[in-house]
Each structure stands twice: as structure tokens, then as C-alpha cells.
Amino acid sequence: MPHEPKPDAVTRRRFLTVLGASGAGTVALSGCSTDRVEKLVPYLVQSEDQVPGLATWYASTCTECPAGCGLHVRTREGRAVKLEGNPDHPINRGKLCSRGQAALQGLYNPGRVKAPRARNAAGALEEITWEDAIGRLAAKLGGAAGKVAVISGAGRGTLSDLLADWTAALGGRVVRYQALDQEPLRAANQALFGRPEVPAFDFARARFILSFGADFLETWLAPVENQRGFAESHGFNGGATAKHVFFGPRMSLTAMNADEWHPIAPGSEAALALAIAHLLVTEHGRSAAGVADALAAHTPEAAEKESGVPAATIRRIAREVAEARPSLAVAGGVSAQHRGAVELAAAVNLLNYVAGNVGETVLFGADLDGGDGAGALDELGRALDAGQVAVLLVHEANPVYTMPAASGFTGRFRKAGYKVSTSSWLDETAAECDLLLPNHHALERWDDARPRAGVHGLMQPVMQPVFTTMNTGDVLLQVAKKAGGALAKFDAPSYEAHLKSRWQALAGERAAAGGFDDFWRAALARGGLYGERPAAPAVSLALSLPVRASRPALEGDGEFSFVPHATSFLYDGRGTNKPWLLENPDPVTKLTWHHWVEVHPDTARRLDVRNGEVVRLASPHGAIEAPVLVFPGIRRDVVSVPLGFGHTAYGEFTTARGANALDLLPGPAGQPFVPYVAVKVSLEKTGVFRDLATTEGNPRQLGRGIAEAMPLAAAVKGLTVRESYELDGRPPHEVNTERELEAIAGWAEGQHIRTRRGDYARENPQWGMAIDLSRCTGCSACVTACYAENNIATVGEADVLRGREMTWMRLERYWEGGEGAPPLEARFVPMLCQHCGNAPCEPVCPVYAAYHTADGLNGQIYNRCVGTRYCANNCPYKVRYFNWYKYSERSWPEPLQLQLNPDVTVRARGVMEKCTFCIQRIRGAQNQARLEGRPLRDGEFTTACAQACPSDAIVFGDMNDPGSRVNQVKRNHRAYHVLEETNVRPAVTYLAKVVRRGEA
Amino acid sequence: MRTLALIGAGAAAAGLAAVTLVIGPSGAQAPAAVADSLTAPVLAAADTAGLPGPRQPVFFRHDIHAGQFKIPCQYCHYTVAVSSEPGIPSLQTCMGCHTVIAGTDTANRAEIKKVRDAWAQKQPIAWVRVHYLARHAHFPHSRHIKALGPTGCQTCHGDVTRMPQVYKVNNINNMGWCVTCHLQRDVSRDCAVCHY
Amino acid sequence: MAVLAQQPVITQTHADVTRDVAATLGAPSRGYLLMLFGAVGLFLVGLLTFLILVKDGLGHAGYNPPVFWSVYITTFVFWIGIGHAGTLISAILYLFRSPWRTAVYRSTEAMTVFAVMTAGLFPIIHIGRQWVFYWLLPYPNQRYLWPNFKSPLLWDVFAITTYLTVSTTFLVYGLIPDVAAVRDTVAGWRQKIYRLASVGWQGTDNQWRHYSRAYLYLAALATPLVLSVHSVVSWDFASAIVPGWHGTIFAPYFVAGAIYSGIGMVLTLIIPLRRVLKLEHMITDYHFDNLGKLTLLTGSILFYAYGMEYFVAWYSGNTFEQTTFWLRAFGPMWWAGWTMIICNAFVSQLLWFRKIRTSLTAMFVISIFINIGMWFERFVIIVSSLSNDFLPWAWDQMNPTWADWGILAGSFGWFGMWFLLFARTFPIVAIQEIKEMIPMPRKRGGHH
Amino acid sequence: MPALPSFGKRKAAPGVLAAFEHIDAATDAIRALRAKGHRDLTVYSSHPNHELEDALETPMSAVRLFTLIGGLTGCTAGFGMTIWMNLDWPVLVGGKPIAAVPAFVVIGFELTVLLGALSSVAGVAILSILLRKRGAAYHPRFSDDRIGVFVPASGEQARSLEELFRSAGAVEVTHATA
């Protein structure tokens, strides 16, 4: 009955034996085979900070994007098993996005480079020893003085400094290149304020948020920080809330969370921004030192012509902006990065300046990290053409994939004499290289990060390296030792030592009391050093570029403007090798595992294309094929394709995952950034079909009141959902009549008394949850957290097509309006087991596998389940998931299974599974409290989803404890239960979303 | 609130570096009573075949250590009171005493030598597991020790102090056996207390 | 034949009856053997499919959540339904002293037993961990665990085992005197076998006295049983909250449907059987006429039930019910919905005409329609209701796979195999009851 | 005359065995025999026949007792088992009472029918087969179209019985000897 994944591979066995020592075992399957000889291999020497069976937490820093969030890493028996946000960290404050959490699957990724490799005579990459590898690089460097170049995507930190010095010593140069960089913003600020930097944006203080294409909840700057701030200001908290207006041709996740989405023509953002600025000056008396005449031409009427947004609407928005102080306008992101991106950024910051947001919500001096931009890469390209690069080292960057083919970068890259990659994964760039020096994963190495002024994040090895990799820092030092010469000065014994010496300097600056060791230990414990954000310097306007608002021309004569977008999971494509990020449906489209092209329903009707129909998109620079997704959230004259697919290397999970949208795009061509919105494409049918692996059933609520919402006016009055319906003059959706409710109540009470037997007669907590939909942005971080915490299998595209995904917690995205009158609106509702008091799933189970625990949970006993699936049929919320195949054996290929949480049983084939309210955490906390002889404290633990939620929308706790936070939230007037009329008494309460339509 | 470990390297060692050699606690910490080791029967490794329970790589005598010398269980099974896992003593723990104690007769000298060799070669000893609890049942040792007291081990593992070679006294995978005990002590027998 | 059609059997002597029936047990014809091999073949297909399911898991079958039950449960209910005609005809009509049951009840009873035997396999086939199906039985175990008697599935376990046992008993019990009769006509090893099977039956006055009494009681017990079994099966659905399942009408609706489908299958079986076994003078169109009427009755009840389901859905004002039934007729599975309505509600109405009732060809064709229609009725109720229930986001359609068809085919093979073997081994017509209907000769002549 | 399967020891009793073709002939003979005080007749017929029963004045069968007792046992067992098992390990499902009797009605009913039926059949087996009269002679045609009457007798008495049978219209009379 139980399916132990066979411990065949070596790494696997090594772990099992060590785990044996703890007895915890790694993969605990529901089953009862006990007749097997298992070895217990104890530690030779007991380590002081590991207790078998208990988790050890380490602080670290996330390197999945330049934001540099702080991490807490949960390890068990020497394996990292879960990533959570570091509450002390100023950027993410204990929260973490899906990409950050999925870093674990990067660590244990089967596609990693397992040892140094070099290209042999046959042209294949064969494994070599580290000694050999370092020898080879040292030798090459010997003859390459002055002809060395480095492309590094690493965030700023000790390593990047070392790399810079190291390269400089060789007379070479480092190009710091990051795919989704903020070059336009930096350039614009240079032009406007003479400060070539990316300021910090304070969403929490903004009372009105204008986004001109910036997907700040997905990939723009620090999404987690943005989302925290956004939830603060935009989430309903009794009083007035910030309004969010989004301008952009496509409805991104950010636009879905806007109160108003204006599908404007691509490239017309600047015109709107300037028109609003114009109105602020002319009609709302904002000071306009030196800009009045610059703005004079940009009337709302002009903007209407450009963007298609009625002048009246622009006036209204301008008035609302004027009334709300401070406001915040942001621009950028992939979908707004066109040839006029610099002008756009300038226009928007001008608007911020006029609205008086600079210094309020737009804070300079934060010095956010960024690269040198694609321009620098272009320069390097010329050097490559000239054959001036003998040795080219690529570190934490994948330009071969992230630069458009049309930029010709790959060809130039090949011209380098000797190409070296430190990539941990065999990505496209690494595949081009002659020598691979795989770096430790961020969780395996010593390192630090300096994402912004005052924030120093530390990374420490939380476990033994999974493979025979080496910290690039050590590689540099050892190569230096071997090569000598100019490099001789890098004499630190190890990178760890080098890092410490740098931190000694930091300690010196701060005159740390108690000496360096205390300082160092404190820093490790906190995960770094978090100084205050430096006071924003006053900036003065130095308009040094003509304020232009003309729409940049798009190349090609295709019918549709091509507006690619970056998804919050795949980012620039570095997420595509992680099953969690591929199976967890894209928050916007709810598609999994494969790419798509978004087409407006009307357009689709006109062209007679249907969902899943593969079409060919052709631009002057190339062509790709993708299945159609009929998507209401896009302009009729625009098509959109996600970035991050179409990898040609990068491991087994990325293969056969669609095409690369960049193939349609031109290169930077002189500009310091890649223009993502630059072409028009033609669309033609291929007659081929490819089913879309979507998790969406019917995206309409059919008046069933699943994702409820109420207007701000009603919310402020403190009305209930039902009252707000009447206020709107809309009929409330079907619920029981008063008399029915009475009858039910009386009857239920009678029944309840007769359930008080055995364990149910004792005093027990009653676990419950509350979810505030006015804070939920649908980012799906909770879903990833659930996958990580509960050993949820990823079933793969074929089974998702059969609707067999295992998302214990899923985010349902319902559409409201759209056809005509009410504008299109997206509603998110996280749907998980509601742990009903009168659970319909329980009485139908013939073997009590589904039953009600004494502490109010809807228990699911995997090892008792025989798999009749009756419970799933009878579950009105459809949150029960069945193991149709032996997912436990196939969804964690070596060495991914090392991530499995030893506290959670891995479910065998043929059993039903579902959300347990993270019962392993409940039991763990209860055990601890009992050992310490104290009662459980509210908030001392929470579920994985609640812990991860960047907007703090989820609250978990004991409903029997009158003081508990969950109880307070449940008493909120916006509280309601999904499908209340079924009288199943859910333990999960939702708080209705608060919307601000039209006038506010 | 969680306590944060400081030295990542430490974790590393814990993970797989069973190679870092550190001199363990000195023999002084070990109970000194080496006096009448004749009370426990003298058995050679060869005899173990006749004894119940699986034969172990090293003929470790619980009856001598726990019985005759009355070394408390938790001296070796150091995490049993704090964690769900009892903890198998590291070789270092053995050496804590056996750097000093070499054995009294040829039989146990031979066995102790195995331990010392293992230590010298930095090779942990691979014990054969005796008690294997099905992995869909969660058994927090700590709470049971808390409830039954430091000698509560015997409730499930039998009187180990009289076992030259440990064997399974109770079928710990018989759920009924667990339930009976829970019923007698009037503690919860809710399924989800153990199964999740 | 029409002249004779009003009498149960064409007048003949007791001796003829024995001879004719015994004749059916002669050497098998080629046609028979072909059918038997066919049946065994299908059964093997089903067996193979089942083994694959056990090896890899249920994933091969066409389950698309939220459709967690589909073809297997459909076929389960289908066979249970088939199993209702037998007991109805042999028990209920016995109590009503209906003369026309005599000639057909043995075959229908046999059909019942084998249909229920077939149905009994499905609860095991369809569960995720087939090897622990016995956890559904209340047997003492070291875990101190008992099954959940509040679950309709437990009711099923009891209803079906009871039904299987009782109907088997009923069949075997009725066979004893006939086996004895056969025993006295054959010789050699076959006689030895029949002698054992006849457990010393002699037909003494004393034996008949107890036998007839007990038969009456069995009939009296079987009557409520047959009504209860399909009610219980219907509660698998009615006691769940799924829109389209949760209806008080279900028990009578299912029982009527069961009998309807059962008689359909009876016709499908005995029309050819009658020819093959040369029983034309015992199974006459008098019987088909009556079977036809019964079909018409139950078919009309179904017609009413279908209408009532839609009426209630509309009248309740319950949005979930309304959506479900709207989609049942006009949703993605409209074809299945209409197949069921046409085959059951409409086709059965043809039986108002005596001409059709007494035309074997027509009856056979109709019976095929009934079988198809009733399978689809269960398919529609189960699958289309699950496909779109409370939460729109979770809606999905299922599409059957080879694994579904394999098991379906296997079930027909398994059933056919047993029925064919039975028809060759035991009197397919109740000898002693037929004799009971033929007046004994009198020396003084005339009847009293 | 084929031997019948024998349960236990069985010795043929001497007597007269008459075979009748006509029902009224058989009933005449039976009435005459009963008039002459013969009680332990064994009458064979291929099917139950009211005229024979009338002539023999057969009493009501005792099988019904078995049925009743079986049924009652089943009913009690059904409810008893379900309620006890639920209280033995109380598990709360769907907020329903631990011992939810309405849900157990089905079980109670099914067991009533099951045990009722099985015990009736057991009753028949006991009363008519295990306790049947031994040693009476038999002929295969009795299961076909003849009615048989057997009277244990010997010598003179047997001859007079043969007279009686022949005059009543027996088609065949044979003498069984020990």
C-alpha cells in the first residue's frame, strides 16, 4: 500500500540515512509497511543547533529578484524544507512572494549543474574536478590581461564588489545586467532631477494611486513591499481607502486590483500623465515652477486623442488626485517599456512632482539597486565583435535567453575567446559556455546583498550543498591564488573570511558595542543589518529634456500591437524550471504549464479563433506560435504573450513550454533598455489546437455571492453585505428566510447536544479562519506556501487538463461586468476547505476517514481512506483532491523530494486529500505549549497561507478564544460565508471586498 | 517565537559533515561505577544469534549500560524529552566514556574496539532499526515522556535494562495497542491526534 | 397464436412439460457456444482493465473533477436496476397470484441474481484502494474501528448483500423440486449431480406442505426488499446535497426505473432464449403482452418523474437546482439528457398498442432502447449533476476513456457468462409451477 | 427403482406403493385408506395439489415460527449493532448525533429480511427433509406425472390394500419388501 520512493540515487540515500538518525524519515506515506530493515546512522558528532525532529530556523536573503527580501529558512535534519519571510526585514516584513518561496525548488532542482564541467574535444560538456576547473580558468586568465569581461546579474553586495575589483585587476570590465531593469526610470530621473537613480515608492502612504502600466504587484521593483503598502492604503480599514486607477492596454494582476482600469492605446501613457499634471496646475492650483509652459500643450483633449480616455474622465481623475494627498503615480514595467519609456517615466515623475508627491511618496536617496542596462551590454557586444574579449565570465545572468534574438547578442557572445559560466543551472547562456563553475545556491553559501541604502542582507549556508558546487566568491579567490600576478592581492583564505572582513568594516562604521563577534552573531540572527532609510533629500526640478507625449511608432504593418507581459511567477523566465510556479495557475489567466496569446473576445469572434487554437504571430523580427486564450482584459487591437517561456535549455521542466515572446522583438538599438512594446504583429491561424491547461471552470458567479463586494459608501456606513445589496437596489442572492433560519437553528442546537460524547465532551479549541477580500490581491503566494508546507504533488499538464490539480488552496478569479454597462472587474476569492461545522463530506464517508475532530477541524485520515470519493462529490466548495495516480512517486524527481516536509504525510495513490488548516503546525504548537506547561497563545503560530500572505489578508486562530484576532475579524460587518444557504456552518469567514466604481 | 540558529556552518555539519572531528566530553562525565561488571551475564558477540531482536553491528549491551550501570536513558537518547524524536546517540557520546573504558573481558573488549575503530575512521555505526513506527502515525516522544515520566520508555519499549540485545516487546504499529493506553489514561483518541 | 394468447400455457400433459424442459438441458448448440465464448472474452477484457487500474490507479478512467463518480457508478446502478425485475415478477406477482409469471419467473430470477452479482463488483472496482474494500464491513479488528453506519454506502453494503443472498435463496429454493424432476429423467453422472442438488426431494405431501408455506413467506419478505434495495441505492444520491441528486422523489423514481430497466433486460434475454430453447408453447405472446403492460406502466411513472424533476427545480426557485436542470437539457451534455428522455419516456409510450406488445421484433427493439436509455438515465443523473454544482469555478465536464468502456464491457461479459451457463444447467422454466396450472386428468372427466 | 440420496441410515420399509394417473382416483383411495384408519400414508406428487391436501387434511406448517423468530432477531441485531458500534467509539460526522437512529433504520430492515428469509429456508430443511419419513418406496414418475401413495404394510394386509388401490383406479400397484 505505501509507495516509498525508491532510495536509488546516491544523494537520496545519504539523506535517508542521516534522517534515519532522527527517525523522522523524509517521505512519510500513508501506509503501514513496517517490515523492512532500516538503518539508523547517528551523527558522528552531534551538532549544537540541530535537534532531530525539531525545526531549526536560519535567517537569510532572497536572491530571486533584485528586491532582496529577507528570509527565514526552516530546516529539518539538515535539509531546507520551507522558506518564509523575515519579519525583521524592512522590505518584506515577514512576507514572501511565490517566486521567493519557490527558490527551494531551485535549490533541489534536477536541472542544476551538479559539478564543474568543461567542453571537451567532442564539444560536449564533461564533468571535471574543481581543482582542474580552477586551474583551467587561471591558465586562461594568465594570457588574457586586459581582455577579460564579466556579465553579472548579481545584486549589489560583497560579491559584486569583489567581482568588480577582481575584474578591474585584470584590466577588464563588469557589465551588471538585469533583465527587467529600471533603466528608463533612472534615465528619466537623471533628466528631470539630475539624479540617475531609482527612488523608493511608498504605497502605504498614498491616498490615490495612479499606475501607468507599472505592474507593481507582479514584477516591478519590490512586489512584496509594494503589495504590503498597497494593502495598507487600499485595503478597507473602516475609513476612506486609497483609490487605484490603472492605465494600460492589458489587465495585469495590478490592473485587476485597480478600482478603475482604462484600456488605453499602447504608448499613450505619457499623454495622460501630462494631461493630469496639466489639469493639476491649471484647475487645481498646484505650483508648477518652470513646468507650466512645458505642460501647456498637454490638454486632456489632446490626451483623449492619444489614449482614447474621454477628457471628462481625465478631468474627474485629476480632481480626485488633487483631493487626495499625498498621491502616487508610477510608470514602467514590461508592458509599458516602449521606445518612449524614458519620456513616459519623465512625464509620470513630473506628475508626481506637480502633485507634490516627491519627498512624500516618491523618496529619492533610497538608491535602489539596478544594473548598467542593456546599453552597456551593447557596448560589450561591440568589444566582442572587435575580438577584444578573450575570457568572458557570466555570473547569475542569462542574457542569451533574456535578450531578443534580433539584438544579435548570442552571435556576439559566441565570439568571446573563452566563455565561463557560474550558473547553478544549465541555462541557455551556460549551455553556450566552455567552462561551467556552478555556484552554490543562495541557501548553501555565504554571501550578502545590498538592495538599497541602509539594508544589508546576509546569507548563510543553511545546509550542506546538494551537489559538488562552489561559492563563486571562493572560485574567484582560488583562481586569484593560482593565477597570482595582478590577482595576488586577493589573499583572503576563503570567501567567508573575506565577507567577514567586509562586515568588520560595517561594524566599524556603526561602532558596534561588544566587539565584532556579537555584532556578527546579531547580524546573522536578524538576517542582516537594517539601518534607517536615509532621509529623502530635497530634489529640485532641472528639466533637461523636452516633455514629449507622442506615441512611439511600432514597427511592422501587422494588425495588432504586440504588448508582452512578465508574469509574477516566471519573472524574466528564471521561474520556468520550478514545478510550483508552473502548476500554480497564473494569477491573471489561471493557465498552467504552457504559454498562450491573449486575444480580446470580440477580436476572437471576428477572426473566428477559439481557446486553444494555435495561431502564428509574425513581426518584422520573427514569428512564434501560441495557443489562443480569449481574454476579456485586453484591448481589441492588442495581443499579449507572457515572457519566460520557450526555453531551449534550463532543465527538464522547461522543455516544450511554448515559444519565447522576445523572438518577435527588436534589440535595444542604441537605447539603454530592451523595448518590449515595439512591434505590430499579424495573427494567422495554423489549424492546430492545443488544449489550455486552465484551472478555471466557469468564471462567472451566476449571482451565487461567492466573491462578495460592496461599494465604499456602504462599507463606511458599516453595512452588511446584504444591506449593501439593498442599498444598490440589487436583490440579494438566494439565502434562507428568517423562519427557515430559526427552524434550522433550533434543530441544529438539538442535534448538537447529542454530539457531546467521548472527546467531543471535553473543552477544545475551535480553529477558524477569516479572509479579508479587500486586502487580497490574488497574488497566489498562499497557494505556493501551501504546496511547500503540505507536500502537495504537482500533477503535470496532462492531469491539469483533466482538472486534477491538487491545489488545496486555490484562488478563484471571477469576472464581473465586462459586456457593456458595468466595466470589467475581477474578483478574487481564496478557496480552501471551509472546515464546516455541518460538513457534508463527513457523514457520507463509510469508514470515518473524513470526520470532525474535537478541535473543530474537518479531519481527513489518509491511511483510513479507501477512496470512494463520495466526500468530494458532496463537498459544495469542491476543495477535496484525489490521488488518481501515484503522484507521490512521480512529482518529486531527484532530488526535489528532499524538500518534503517530514511533518506531513505524503499521500499515497487512491486516497482523498485536502486542506487541514496546517494541522501539523497546530499539533506542533500544542506539543510545545504542553511541554512548557502553558496554554496555547493566540498568534503564536499560524497556517502557511496566512504566514505567507503579503497583504495580511488571512487570519487564523481559535474561535473559542474571545480575545483571539480571528474572532475580532469575524465580527466585522463585512463578514459573510460562501454558500451560506447550504447551512454547512463554515469555519472560514470572508470579508467582502470594497470597491470604488466611477465617482468616488 | 522561533529561536534562530546562528552559525549556518553548524547546520551544515549537522547535515552531512559527519567528518568534522571534535573531542567529545571527557570520560569524567560518565558514571564511574565500573566495579562489578560480573553481575550482568558475560556474552560474546557470537551469542547474540540466540538472543531475540535483530543483531546489531556492535553488540551494545543495554542491560549493562542502562541496567547494571544505571545510565539514564536520556543520557544517550538526548532529545527524547524535547522532540518528537528520541535521538540516537552520536559516536562522540560513546567515546565520551569509551576513550577511558576499554572493557573487562575479551568479549566486550572486542565490541568496544569496534566503536573506537569507527571513531578513528570517522565512520558512524549503522545500527539496525528495531522500532519502526508507520510513517502515517505521528508519535511525539516528548509529550509521552512528559506524561509518563523519564522512565516511561518502558511502557512501550519494555524493560530495556534487562535486554542484552534490544527487541520489540510490543507491536507499536498495532493501533489498538495505542488506543487502549489512551483510553486507560482517559486522553484523547481523536484520529487526527496521530494521523495527519 | 393470438387465439391462445389469453392462456398461460398451451394445454399439454404433465409428462410433456417435464420432457420439454428437460430437453433444454441437452447438448449445447454451436450458437450457444459462440455466445458463451463471446461473453467470456468480454469478461477477460474487463478483468485486464481492472488489473491495470489496480496497478496504476484510477487515473486511467475518465474522471475530471468535480466529476468524481462516472461510468462505474452508472453501471453499478444500471445492474442493480436490472436485478429488480426478477424478484418483482417472482415474488410480487406470486403474491398477486398472477398466472402469467409462471413461465418466465425462473429466467428473470436467474437474471436478477447474476445482475446483482455483477453490480456487487462495482463498489470494489471504483474505489481508489480496491484492496481495502473490506474496511466497509463491520468486523472486529485490532484498531477498535467500526464503519460509519450513517453513510449511505454502508446502507448499500447491507442492502446489496441482503438482496443478493435472498434472491439467490429464492432461486435455489424454487429449483429444488424441478431439479428432482430432472434427476428422475436423466441417468449416469448427470443424475448423480442432480441427485445431490435435489437434496433428497421426493415431493411427498409433507415436503410440499412446508415448501409451499415457506415459499409464500419468502415472497412476502422479498417484496419489501425489492422495493427497499433501489430506494437505498437512490439515497446514495438523494441524501447527498448535490443539486440534481438531492430530491425526495428519488426512491419511487429509482424503483420504477429499476423495474422498467429490469423488464427491458428480461425481454432482451427471453425473446432469443425462447427461440433457442424451443419454449414457444410455454412462453407465449400472452406473456409478452403482460410484460409490455408492466413496461408501459413503469415507463409512464418515469415519464412523470422526469417531468416532476424539472417542475420541482423550477418551482423551488433554487438557483442551483435550476441551473443543473437547465444544463442537463441544454448544457454540454444535452445529448445524454435527451437520449434518456426519448428512450425511456417516449419509446415506452409505444406500448399502448397491443399490436406492438405482441410483436416480438418490436418488443425486442424496444427492449434494447430501454437498456440504453436506462444506462444513460443513471449517467445523466450522476455525471451531469456533478459537472456543475454549487461552485461555478470548479465546473468541468468528464470524458470517458478506454478504462471506462473496458469495465463496462467486462460487466456484460461477466453477466452473460453466468446467465448462459445457468440456462444450460438448470430448468429455465419452472416445471412444477407449470404443472400446477395444468389440470390433472380425472377418470370421471371434467373439472371440479 | 433408482435409489434416492440417503441422509443417514435408511432401511426400506415393507409396504404397498400405488401409482395413480387420475387425481380423483388418488383422492378416493386416500379417503378410503384414512376411513380404514391408515394414518401414515406417504403421498407423492410432482407439484403441490389442493385436492390431495384436502383428502389428507394436512395441518398448517410450522415454518412460520422460524420466519418470525428469524425476522425479530434480525431487527434487534440491526439496531443493536449500529447503535452500540457508534457509542463504542464516538465519531462526530456532519454535526449529526452520535447515535443517529434514523440512519440505522435501513440496516435494521435489511437484517430483518435477511435472517427472516434464511431461517424460513432452514425451517423447511429441518421439517421436510431432515425429519422426513424414512423408508417409503419411491418411483421416478412421481416427479413427472403420476401420483403415488405408499402405505407400510405386509402379508395379508398388503393384499387387501392392493385390492383397495386397484378398485380406486390405480394404474400400478407394487409391493415393497424389506
Side-chain angles (χ1 to χ4, degrees), chain A residues 1-2 4 24 27-34 860-864 902-908, chain B residues 132-139 173 175 191-196, chain C residues 129 135 143:
Chain A
M1 178 163 77
E4 282 293 341
V27 182
L29 275 143
S30 74
C32 28
S33 93
T34 58
Q860 177 67 19
I861 308 305
Y862 311 124
N863 46 304
R864 178 66 172 169
D903 293 339
V904 178
T905 311
V906 173
R907 283 74 59 185
Chain B
Y132 182 96
L133 182 61
R135 281 169 176 174
H136 57 260
H138 298 256
F139 180 85
N173 280 302
M175 176 176 149
C191 319
V193 165
C194 311
H195 301 300
Y196 50 84
Chain C
R129 302 200 293 170
W135 284 357
R143 305 182 197 86

Side-chain angles (χ1 to χ4, degrees), chain A residues 935-956:
Chain A
L936 215 49
R937 285 187 300 270
D938 183 47
E940 115 178 50
F941 75 99
T942 185
T943 59
C945 49
Q947 194 285 329
C949 180
S951 1
D952 248 326
I954 307 176
V955 182
F956 176 82

Side-chain angles (χ1 to χ4, degrees), chain D residues 91-123:
Chain D
V91 181
L92 174 57
V93 289
K96 295 175 170 27
I98 298 298
V101 179
F104 306 154
V105 170
V106 175
I107 313 288
F109 169 81
E110 299 294 342
L111 287 190
T112 312
V113 174
L114 182 63
L115 294 198
L118 292 179
S119 56
S120 334
V121 176

